[in-house]
Amino acid sequence: MSYSGGMFSDDGFRTMFLAALQEQPAKYDLRVPLLDPAVGAAIYAAKHSNRALSPSALHELATTST
């Protein structure tokens, strides 16, 4: 499971969220997002417009976005 949103930039909130997940019967592996939300939005927009990005373009985004 990954997350997005400004609230997760707060260490205290992220810690409380993780603690709440750990109390659930299902097991979760919370991970830091690989891409910036803006990059994810661009990928979604390209896919939604029937112009999905090539694997090399996706790789470039994943390795250069910070």
Side-chain angles (χ1 to χ4, degrees):
M1 171 192 291
S2 183
Y3 55 83
S4 66
M7 292 180 70
F8 287 98
S9 63
D10 180 87
D11 289 336
F13 177 81
R14 206 170 43 252
T15 299
M16 289 188 312
F17 183 80
L18 182 56
L21 282 180
Q22 291 172 338
E23 293 176 5
Q24 301 302 309
K27 298 300 175 202
Y28 295 95
D29 181 16
L30 189 64
R31 298 177 183 211
V32 175
L34 295 176
L35 301 172
D36 182 84
V39 174
I43 292 169
Y44 180 76
K47 184 177 180 180
H48 187 67
S49 68
N50 293 321
R51 295 188 173 131
L53 300 176
S54 68
S56 63
L58 291 171
H59 177 75
E60 183 71 21
L61 286 171
T63 58
T64 60
S65 69
T66 53

